[in-house]
Amino acid sequence: MTTTSSAEQWDAIVVGGGLGGLTCAAYLAAAGRRVVVLEQHDWAGGNSHVFRRRRAYEFDVGVHYLGDCGPDGVIPAILSGLGAGDRVRFRELDPGCFDEILVPGLTLDVPADWDAYLTRLERILPGDAEGLRTFTRICRAVGGEQRWALLTDAGLPEIAAGTTHVRQWGRRPLSELFDHCRLSTRARTVLAAQSPNYGMGPDVATVATHATVTDHYLRGAYVPLGGGQMLAATLVEVLEAHGGELRTRSRVTSIDVVERTATGVHLADGTVLTAPLVISGADYRRTVLELVGAQHFSPRIVRATREATVGLPFATVYVALDRPLTRRAEANIWWYDHEDIGDLYRGLHAGAQPDDVRFLFISFASLKEPGARHLCPPGHANFQLMTMCPPGYRHWGVDRGPAEGGRYRREPAYVAEKQRFTEAVLRAGEHVLGPFRNSITHVELATPLTQERYTLSTGGSPFGLATWGATGARPDTGTGVKGLHVVGQSTRYGSGITGVMVSGIACAARILGQPLLTRAHAGAVFGDPGRLPERAPGWDPLAVSRGAARRDGRGLAKVD
């Protein structure tokens, strides 16, 4: 093992190259800190990364759409604060219908407007009209208050006075608000139809979680032109331009703590890096119990972490066709074969893996960015079929996940279940979209074990913690260990792309003692745009996301 005297020294070490870690690293680098980001995968990006197949198709893993990316939006403000606001362009999806919800006998076209949303709900659910008015009034208020509190520079007394709905309802289960509004089963299913965006059913998700996500998208739904990897690549450019470094294929095996003070990290290859600041964007449970060790945390944190649950995992079938889709609308589809979403979640948590898929989220990449050459050849189509899965590994025929060294990819039981599950998802997809199998040029299933392999997330969940101690509680970026911070899906800033980026800027703000997001949203620029590199013809966000040392290395898939 390398000795401490020969260890590399940095001002800050970031474990994990997801968007939370990259955002924090970019702001620290812009403030003059020497920062290194360590990512175990071949390129950075976490749930925003893309992959390529057949030199013809590019698939987004987690960026299917983003909310609140208009001129006043949160993500644009974070990028602008780094001097990179013009390096990612966002295209707004149809504000008249960015999501289409399908339950038996009912369709809801979701608009980017609270008033229009309520009007359409009342039209299709007239018997629930009074309850729907109460429900949307409370959720609109909670979502608006939470966003205001995030962006304001007001003090705690003013924030408390301005968030009365959050204090009344924020930490209560969504099902409790459904009960309060006396909503029918069908109305609950329609209102919670987009709940797979955060991986929790109404009995687990809080009103604050649901309201924040709903308000987020009703402020406008967008896609980043060029794909999700554009976000990671832009943050890497900022990091490197300000003297920081991204190292991929660099797996951290321990975060070193001495006398409740973080001192650095050890890597799998024996390398030791030291720094007075360590920011972990790794899975929260693994950070506390494995990378650091329970002995360094308070009993309360350890108990909450050991007993914590995570959001339900997803399985995704990536599909490419040699013809355009017959569908014209770019809106995502949320399809259910029943009208009781509570029953769906109860079945999943009970371990049910039915022969037929009961829910699909369908995202049409080639319709959202028409003509984009990186997505598919001209005249072809690119889309995804996603569904939630029960927690655990046994449904996939294995006992251990890849984060613990479990082998699975060639196990006969796993291969057989992948084939069965792919068939079930395609069958459901054709039920919704009509026949398309005769036109398939590429089809590929990513299971929760695939997610765990690339992100080392507990249970292969992309959502982080679902429960952690008291109802609605989540960790802040501070940990109680001096110099150790956390960012990512499990923090109090929420899951999803915006949540993790907010966690990153919030963590940097805590370290630097500045209200970075408030100031960036007001127009302040902390990075130097003059340092950012020009993007030459053929510029590739995936190559940038490997880090400067490996940018031109072999093995990077291209799209012809």
Side-chain angles (χ1 to χ4, degrees):
M1 182 177 293
T2 306
T3 61
T4 304
S5 60
S6 62
E8 295 182 40
Q9 297 184 356
W10 295 83
D11 294 334
I13 299 167
V14 177
V15 180
L19 293 183
L22 288 175
T23 300
C24 183
Y27 269 92
L28 292 179
R33 305 292 179 96
R34 291 185 64 250
V35 187
V36 60
V37 177
L38 305 170
E39 168 56 45
Q40 62 99 24
H41 186 32
D42 194 45
W43 57 85
N47 287 322
S48 72
H49 88 253
V50 303
F51 67 93
R52 293 164 179 168
R53 292 293 185 263
R54 302 178 184 271
R55 301 184 70 90
Y57 305 106
E58 182 176 283
F59 298 100
D60 256 297
V61 170
V63 181
H64 306 106
Y65 64 156
L66 305 170
D68 197 9
C69 287
D72 185 48
V74 173
I75 291 178
I78 292 173
L79 295 173
S80 295
L82 293 167
D86 61 346
R87 295 174 87 84
V88 181
R89 293 185 298 128
F90 297 94
R91 175 182 179 269
E92 185 174 10
L93 301 180
D94 181 1
C97 176
F98 63 85
D99 271 347
E100 185 179 346
I101 296 171
L102 305 177
V103 300
L106 183 152
T107 299
L108 174 65
D109 292 341
V110 182
D113 180 84
W114 273 104
D115 292 332
Y117 178 55
L118 174 58
T119 297
R120 293 184 187 182
L121 286 168
E122 291 177 316
R123 185 183 305 137
I124 63 172
L125 296 161
D128 290 282
E130 183 178 351
L132 291 168
R133 286 192 287 271
T134 302
F135 181 86
T136 54
R137 175 182 59 79
I138 291 172
C139 285
R140 184 176 190 172
V142 170
E145 288 175 2
Q146 296 238 115
R147 186 178 187 274
W148 169 79
L150 184 69
L151 298 173
T152 187
D153 60 356
L156 289 178
E158 292 88 351
I159 291 175
T163 54
T164 55
H165 291 87
V166 173
R167 287 187 286 112
Q168 181 182 2
W169 282 102
R171 286 200 168 190
R172 295 159 77 172
L174 180 61
S175 57
E176 191 172 323
L177 180 56
F178 285 159
D179 292 342
H180 173 77
C181 298
R182 299 180 180 179
L183 294 168
S184 66
T185 298
R186 173 173 269 206
R188 295 171 190 230
T189 297
V190 172
L191 291 169
Q194 297 144 300
S195 60
N197 267 328
Y198 46 81
M200 294 176 274
D203 293 336
V204 178
T206 61
V207 172
T209 295
H210 178 81
T212 299
V213 172
T214 304
D215 182 69
H216 176 69
Y217 286 111
L218 292 187
R219 292 177 183 273
Y222 298 78
V223 291
L225 295 179
Q229 200 71 44
M230 292 291 296
L231 296 168
T234 299
L235 293 170
V236 171
E237 287 181 324
V238 173
L239 169 70
E240 293 177 343
H242 290 83
E245 185 176 339
L246 165 66
R247 296 182 186 177
T248 49
R249 291 189 180 175
S250 299
R251 181 167 178 173
V252 172
T253 54
S254 70
I255 295 174
D256 303 326
V257 173
V258 177
E259 297 181 352
R260 293 184 64 81
T261 300
T263 60
V265 302
H266 278 71
L267 273 64
D269 64 3
T271 302
V272 178
L273 285 72
T274 65
L277 286 171
V278 178
I279 298 98
S280 179
D283 177 88
Y284 182 81
R285 191 175 190 279
R286 296 189 193 283
T287 296
V288 172
L289 302 179
E290 298 174 20
L291 295 179
V292 179
Q295 68 273 22
H296 299 294
F297 294 92
S298 70
R300 180 188 66 82
I301 287 178
V302 173
R303 182 172 59 254
T305 303
R306 290 193 191 280
E307 296 173 356
T309 62
V310 295
L312 287 168
F314 261 92
T316 304
V317 175
Y318 300 91
V319 182
L321 307 181
D322 63 4
R323 62 167 174 82
L325 287 158
T326 55
R327 174 184 175 85
R328 301 287 184 183
E330 63 192 12
N332 306 299
I333 292 177
W334 299 86
W335 170 81
Y336 295 84
D337 75 343
H338 58 292
E339 58 179 51
D340 187 350
I341 198 169
D343 181 62
L344 171 68
Y345 279 103
R346 287 188 292 271
L348 288 168
H349 283 292
Q353 185 89 306
D355 291 337
D356 293 321
V357 170
R358 305 186 63 197
F359 151 74
L360 280 181
F361 171 72
I362 310 177
S363 177
F364 304 95
S366 54
L367 292 179
K368 292 175 182 174
E369 195 174 344
R373 182 64 188 85
H374 66 284
L375 290 174
C376 58
H380 288 221
N382 173 328
F383 64 100
Q384 298 173 29
L385 307 168
M386 304 177 66
T387 192
M388 292 182 294
C389 304
Y393 305 116
R394 66 181 181 86
H395 303 283
W396 302 101
V398 297
D399 298 322
R400 293 188 306 156
E404 298 175 353
R407 295 180 176 274
Y408 70 97
R409 297 173 68 191
R410 293 179 176 83
E411 291 297 314
Y414 178 74
V415 173
E417 178 57 17
K418 275 191 72 174
Q419 292 173 343
R420 186 204 70 80
F421 200 82
T422 300
E423 170 63 26
V425 172
L426 291 175
R427 188 165 59 244
E430 290 195 306
H431 176 80
V432 180
L433 300 176
F436 57 75
R437 275 196 249 198
N438 289 342
S439 302
I440 288 178
T441 54
H442 184 80
V443 62
E444 180 174 355
L445 172 66
T447 72
L449 281 86
T450 313
Q451 171 80 22
E452 184 175 317
R453 175 185 167 205
Y454 287 113
T455 65
L456 302 181
S457 59
T458 296
S461 171
F463 299 109
L465 297 174
T467 61
W468 187 72
T471 301
R474 275 182 159 227
D476 203 343
T477 59
T479 64
V481 176
K482 184 179 178 181
L484 177 65
H485 302 260
V486 294
V487 295
Q489 301 280 30
S490 292
T491 67
R492 70 183 183 89
Y493 298 98
S495 59
I497 299 299
T498 302
V500 299
M501 292 184 71
V502 169
S503 78
I505 192 173
C507 184
R510 184 180 189 132
I511 292 167
L512 299 173
Q514 298 185 57
L516 296 175
L517 181 55
T518 300
R519 293 180 181 176
H521 190 258
V525 178
F526 301 93
D528 182 356
R531 295 189 182 187
L532 298 179
E534 292 187 11
R535 292 176 174 174
W539 180 87
D540 185 352
L542 202 56
V544 172
S545 301
R546 298 177 102 184
R550 298 189 57 246
R551 190 150 299 153
D552 298 320
R554 298 179 62 181
L556 183 68
K558 302 285 187 180
V559 173
D560 290 335

